[in-house]
Amino acid sequence: MIRARLVLLFAAIVAAVPAFAQTPPTAPANNIDDRVRQQARILTEREREEAMLTGDTDIVLTRRTRLFSVNGSIDVSGTSNAFLSPTGRVSDAFGQANVSLGFGTRLGGKVDVFASVGVLGVRYFQFKALDYNALTGLVGARTNFGRLAVTATYQPSIVLTRDFGRRQLTSHRLKLSASLPFRIRNLTIEPVIAAERTLSSPSDYRAWSGTAGVTFSAPLSQTAPLLAYVSAQYERRSFDGYFPDLVGVRRLDDGWSAGAGVVWRPRQWGEVRASYSFQRVYSTSDVNGYFAHSGTLGISASLKF
């Protein structure tokens, strides 16, 4: 029954993408930074889901008995706003595949350290100009002060064209976050706050950001490894200087997002996910405010050794 429902959801996602030709809107660099951040969030949620399924409610899960891991995932998503445009909203579907190598251990019984390097490929069904590849990295540490978990991460990425022939964006994201998960019966509630500094080349995407959010999660079965979650988040982003000659104003974004999903983990090393999310961004820049609905169906595997 679970598999049948996931197949039906996948069919609905793909069916939601119109088959007729649509005219793409015009936006600075096709909003490459926003799209990469949006799709990278899918990978972050996957780590959160694994943590919730195993009882560790922090975003990053490391095991002292397994230093290294090989991770892979494939996702298919449908979106109502492929270009993240304020006016020329066109729908599309895209697939993404990710392969990474990870490392994690605990130092002194108190601090978890972790790192990974990976390759991400994103391919759109209709608008091939949006396709890209990314070389990604992550280095971070986490510790607990009682129930409060504090995490610091550094995430470099290089975004390349479909054929790897041209660099579109290089970014360096430094992030400090704190979460305070607690339980009410079977319901886990995890409020999170974070601050982030993004450095980039080209420099138009350099920004400061702050986020606050909360996730509610609960098992759906006492016998099957099935989890449901609902989340909401607010983000404020202040750009140093976003395409000043084109936009003409200082860019400040206020973003609201909400989502819900189901995670099924039939094996310790693999899982199936289905999710829905909504995003609404208000911006002082006329070409950067947008809203979008999206749905995702994905599978992933992680081998630890």
Side-chain angles (χ1 to χ4, degrees), residues 33 36-45 47 59-60 98 114-118 120 134-141 151-159 169-177 194-201 209 211 235:
D33 177 65
V36 171
R37 284 171 55 89
Q38 183 186 65
Q39 288 149 8
R41 189 174 293 117
I42 298 173
L43 303 179
T44 303
E45 285 303 312
E47 294 170 344
I59 293 177
V60 179
N98 179 72
F114 45 90
S116 68
V117 292
L120 170 67
L135 307 178
T136 61
L138 171 68
V139 178
T151 305
T153 58
Y154 164 61
Q155 294 178 272
S157 63
I158 302 174
V159 182
L169 174 68
T170 299
S171 66
H172 304 268
R173 297 168 57 186
L174 298 97
K175 185 174 183 179
L176 181 65
S177 63
E196 181 178 282
R197 174 60 174 168
T198 300
L199 302 175
S200 68
S201 175
S209 63
T211 60
E235 181 180 34

Side-chain angles (χ1 to χ4, degrees), residues 157-168:
S157 63
I158 302 174
V159 182
L160 306 165
T161 53
R162 177 190 178 99
D163 61 357
F164 289 92
R166 180 173 60 87
R167 180 182 65 88
Q168 299 187 73

Side-chain angles (χ1 to χ4, degrees), residues 6-29:
L6 292 174
V7 170
L8 289 175
L9 178 61
F10 170 75
I13 292 172
V14 175
V17 181
F20 54 85
Q22 303 175 85
T23 302
T26 300

